[in-house]
């Protein structure tokens, strides 16, 4: 059996994701599609809109055969480490290829860009360093350095587009780790990343969908943009995760510390601790808070990642203690996914963990901890859900 | 001008406190009554029912001439340190006497008890150690050791009564520090510590009064038990402080830590961290939580003190770094109180601090921090109240 891998958040799962899963399977010729999915906190440094179990259910109903959790430490990291963790898991589970959605839509420009930067790595690093010193954000500095190497040559990938950037990092991570997985990409169709929901278009961005629901819109109204299974899963949610909802706890966490101790949390850079503390004292809402701390130097995403780590109590010391993923946390499977696990057992390079109780290493225990923090922020009383929820088995789809 | 000192919490100020203030003045023959008052967290390890500024206002209207804040580090300590801090402040501000309410009602039994324990200190300590080893709580162990020394001799104070215990500690603290303040006591009248409000009795316990309001009773209905000024202050409060109210934040603070790190907080003894963590995971309310952690070994008060320190993020390391009070934080004054400060300036042994911004040592900054934590728990947006509230001046009372 052949598998292709994709890296997802499904926040929440919509028609664009459905398209991605189908195209990945078609393009790779694989028998199963394996998704490495972020858990309760996401790469943009946000609590997930709905919990990972609901998102797993949507994924399986939408054509995914195996859902593997991307550990917190990678899921909340900047693109390089995010990609490193995701690629390591897809490689370990035996994928022959991986397939990402991109604005570019073709794989060759990415491969050329990778080659270009590899061959000019010293120059590239130097240009990044120079750009950072002008006070711009790190992603902007990468852009500037890349642009000056690429010039106007359109044979290279356009790395100013968010999905192109992630795709590039997947390729880089896979190549650097020596993985033999074949990189594939499909053209993203329909909405751009942050586009609002538009009438008459069957693909909306996840951001647009969340916005509708945060603003009190009905789940039913989203039926043009999501498969029925996603609508059903959303209908069962009483609250949706957001920084707005989590802010009272985050604010307390910040104000409880002596400012200098805030520095102990992962991604918090020296000098910002007093700003965070004073802003938390002033701001009654998360939007006010982020408005007070945003600057040219720190992107919102960067700040939100710090805040995620402050919220969960995750420190630099913990961050630095991690090496490589040591397990595959199975969140759900289709019938075909189950067969794959059985048949490929010998080719799977890491233990497949089905129960939270079996996560005994620090990385896995951190996933469980982050999950508890998430559930607490949501205001649910099911704080033991991590231990009481077995992997979701979705046999129906294959029983035709 | 002569001053007498009292140690209070006024949680909230009621007719019993009015009686205490008047009797202290009468019995001591002093010109002014100075109250050392706990700030936002109290000796039983609880958030104050109403904030320290409202309680200061009530105190001044009720006959107190100066209100000095007992620093957090003493206000939330067990009786010995609580008394030590309070006596040091009363002594520093030049009181010639101090006067506490007691079930005993006469001072001689206390003095005899103090003498008895001083003369048998080695034996006493030994008996306490033995009693603790049987697994009972520390206060119970003190009781048992004292009872065996005292026998049935009624010339000694009955140290099973809560106000007698505190009174004894005041005397002990004053004597040990070499203070020349004269100890006085008055008989507590009316309600016992935890008694509910009873119709037709003009003195109710503060616990009883809080209970009425927590259960949604009207402030007006408390008019038989409180001076009009207290009623007015309570009417201005939108929420009342309680562990019930603060529990979501406390729970988050506990669950955010790896259990072994909970041990870093002051008063948390080794071995209880997992119990706290597991109980927080299970218990949706504070009552459920305390029900899960209470035991023969740990009194509710002892546990609540730990929880206060976890809530505010106050560590053993911080606790151990304190020596003696270094300032007198003035929360409010009457006209007579102001005169006293002016006339006695030379005899006041510590700087009198009127503004939070002048609290530059760690003990004072901790008071401000604890106050922020309290205001956050209350859900108020006035997180800078500590800096924007000058000492309350109550001139009217004296302008007759």
């Amino acid at each position: 059996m052949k598998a292709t891998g994709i890296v997802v958040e499904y926040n929440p799962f919509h028609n664009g994701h459905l398209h991605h899963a189908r195209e990945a399977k078609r393009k790779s010729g694989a028998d199963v599609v394996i998704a490495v999915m972020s858990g309760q906190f996401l790469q943009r440094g946000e609590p997930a809109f709905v919990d990972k179990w609901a998102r797993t259910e949507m994924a399986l109903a939408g054509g995914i055969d195996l859902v593997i959790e991307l550990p917190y430490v990678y899921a909340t990291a900047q693109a390089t480490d995010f990609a490193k963790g995701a690629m390591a898991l897809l490689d370990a589970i035996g994928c022959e290829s991986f397939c990402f959605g991109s604005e570019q839509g073709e794989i060759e420009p990415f491969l050329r860009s990778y080659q270009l930067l590899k061959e000019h790595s010293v120059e590239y690093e130097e240009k990044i360093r120079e750009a950072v010193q002008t006070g711009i954000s790190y992603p902007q500095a990468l852009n500037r350095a890349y642009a000056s190497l690429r010039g106007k040559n359109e044979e290279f990938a356009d790395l100013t587009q968010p999905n192109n950037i992630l795709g590039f990092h997947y390729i880089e991570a896979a190549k650097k780790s020596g993985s033999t997985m074949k990189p594939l990409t499909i053209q993203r169709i329909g909405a751009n990343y942050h586009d609002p929901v538009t009438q008459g278009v069957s693909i909306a961005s996840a951001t647009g969908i969340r916005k509708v629901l945060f603003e009190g819109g009905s789940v039913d109204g989203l039926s043009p943009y999501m498969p029925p299974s996603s609508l059903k899963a959303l209908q069962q949610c009483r609250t949706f995760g957001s920084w707005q909802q989590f802010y009272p706890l985050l604010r307390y966490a910040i104000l409880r510390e002596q400012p200098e101790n805030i520095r102990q949390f992962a991604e918090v850079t020296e000098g910002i601790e007093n700003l965070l503390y004073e802003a938390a004292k002033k701001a009654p809402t998360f939007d006010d808070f982020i408005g007070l701390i945003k600057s040219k130097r720190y992107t919102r995403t960067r700040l939100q990642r710090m805040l995620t780590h402050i919220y969960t109590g995750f420190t630099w010391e913990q961050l630095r203690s991690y090496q490589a993923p040591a397990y595959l946390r199975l969140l759900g499977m289709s019938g075909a996914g189950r067969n794959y696990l059985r048949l490929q057992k010998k080719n799977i390079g890491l233990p497949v963990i089905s129960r939270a109780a079996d996560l005994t290493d620090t990385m896995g225990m951190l996933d469980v901890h982050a999950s508890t923090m998430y559930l607490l922020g949501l205001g649910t009383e099911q704080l033991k859900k991590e231990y009481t929820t077995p992997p979701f088995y979705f046999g129906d789809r294959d029983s035709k």
Side-chain angles (χ1 to χ4, degrees), chain A:
Chain A
M1 275 179 107
K2 273 173 64 179
T4 193
I6 63 179
V7 186
V8 302
E9 296 203 312
Y10 293 159
N11 192 40
F13 189 95
H14 57 58
N15 288 347
H17 298 127
L18 196 64
H19 175 75
H20 178 205
R22 283 184 189 153
E23 285 297 293
K25 199 164 177 178
R26 191 189 59 74
K27 197 150 193 169
S28 65
D31 305 296
V32 294
V33 182
I34 300 178
V36 162
M37 186 179 84
S38 304
Q40 312 287 36
F41 292 92
L42 307 182
Q43 209 253 330
R44 286 171 49 78
E46 289 177 328
F49 186 63
V50 294
D51 74 29
K52 60 187 179 186
W53 299 286
R55 280 150 52 228
T56 296
E57 203 174 333
M58 295 184 210
L60 294 171
I64 304 301
D65 295 299
L66 286 173
V67 180
I68 302 296
E69 180 170 351
L70 182 64
Y72 172 89
V73 64
Y74 301 109
T76 59
Q78 32 66 29
T80 320
D81 288 330
F82 178 85
K84 203 186 279 177
M87 289 300 117
L89 294 179
L90 290 179
D91 195 60
I93 207 165
C95 289
E96 297 195 348
S97 61
F98 62 94
C99 179
F100 57 92
S102 66
E103 293 83 0
Q104 198 79 35
E106 287 176 27
I107 202 71
E108 289 73 17
F110 288 102
L111 300 175
R112 284 193 285 265
S113 294
Y114 174 70
Q115 214 49 43
L116 173 75
L117 295 185
K118 197 180 158 191
E119 282 159 15
H120 298 80
S121 63
V122 176
E123 196 183 343
Y124 183 50
E125 292 298 331
E126 182 53 35
K127 282 178 190 291
I128 293 171
R129 222 181 345 262
E130 278 169 21
V132 162
Q133 277 163 2
T134 68
I136 60 175
S137 72
Y138 191 71
Q140 284 175 313
L142 289 181
N143 261 337
R144 195 181 288 181
Y146 175 66
S148 82
L149 283 175
R150 178 198 185 203
K152 295 212 178 291
N153 189 337
E154 300 217 339
E155 290 197 338
F156 298 111
D158 172 5
L159 296 187
T160 63
Q161 301 287 327
N163 291 281
N164 287 353
I165 297 173
L166 266 178
F168 176 81
H169 284 293
Y170 296 147
I171 292 173
E172 186 183 50
K175 299 255 182 215
K176 280 194 177 168
S177 74
S179 165
T180 57
M181 289 188 295
K182 184 180 177 189
L184 302 169
T185 189
I186 61 155
Q187 177 89 51
R188 275 177 64 91
I189 54 168
N192 282 323
Y193 197 70
H194 289 301
D195 285 357
V197 166
T198 318
Q199 293 296 327
V201 177
S202 71
I203 294 190
S205 74
T207 310
I209 289 169
R210 293 196 299 274
K211 192 158 181 281
V212 167
L213 296 178
F214 281 136
E215 289 171 358
S218 80
V219 173
D220 291 342
L222 294 169
S223 61
Y225 315 108
M226 311 180 86
S229 47
S230 285
L231 296 172
K232 201 178 134 203
L234 289 183
Q235 264 148 355
Q236 286 164 1
C237 296
R238 271 180 299 175
T239 42
F240 298 116
S242 68
W243 271 126
Q244 281 64 35
Q245 161 106 8
F246 285 40
Y247 182 62
L249 296 181
L250 171 68
R251 186 186 198 190
Y252 164 69
I254 293 171
L255 293 175
R256 181 168 171 257
E257 299 287 347
Q258 297 166 294
E260 64 269 27
N261 286 346
I262 298 176
R263 254 184 269 154
Q264 75 181 291
F265 298 106
E267 307 289 353
V268 178
T269 43
E270 202 169 324
I272 202 172
E273 62 275 10
N274 285 307
L275 181 63
L276 294 177
Y277 185 87
E278 291 305 324
K281 215 162 186 174
K282 280 194 201 108
T285 68
F286 185 74
D287 284 341
D288 295 333
F289 177 69
I290 211 88
L292 289 171
I293 60 174
K294 249 194 331 191
S295 67
K296 207 173 66 163
R297 187 180 185 98
Y298 296 110
T299 61
R300 184 176 177 128
T301 302
R302 171 87 186 280
L303 290 166
Q304 289 190 158
R305 265 184 227 132
M306 284 182 203
L307 299 176
T308 298
H309 299 320
I310 294 173
Y311 179 81
T312 61
F314 179 65
T315 61
W316 278 115
E317 196 188 333
Q318 285 176 284
L319 178 63
R320 287 180 183 131
S321 72
Y322 294 111
Q323 307 292 332
Y327 57 90
L328 292 154
R329 171 83 188 275
L330 179 65
L331 291 176
M333 56 194 157
S334 69
R338 190 162 67 171
N339 283 340
Y340 177 85
L341 287 182
R342 197 164 40 208
L343 296 170
Q344 297 295 315
K345 211 168 189 175
K346 280 190 199 150
N347 301 324
I348 298 178
L350 291 172
V352 177
I353 305 275
S354 300
R355 304 172 338 126
D358 294 334
L359 290 167
T360 49
D361 70 339
T362 51
M363 190 187 286
M365 281 160 73
L366 174 63
D367 292 348
V368 174
H369 171 70
S371 197
T372 304
M373 291 289 94
Y374 174 81
L375 295 167
L376 200 62
L378 268 194
T380 163
E381 270 313 319
Q382 300 177 283
L383 296 187
K384 301 212 160 192
K385 200 169 176 184
E386 191 69 51
Y387 291 98
T388 56
T389 313
F392 197 84
Y393 178 60
F394 195 88
D396 293 353
R397 210 182 65 226
D398 313 286
S399 64
K400 53 190 185 267

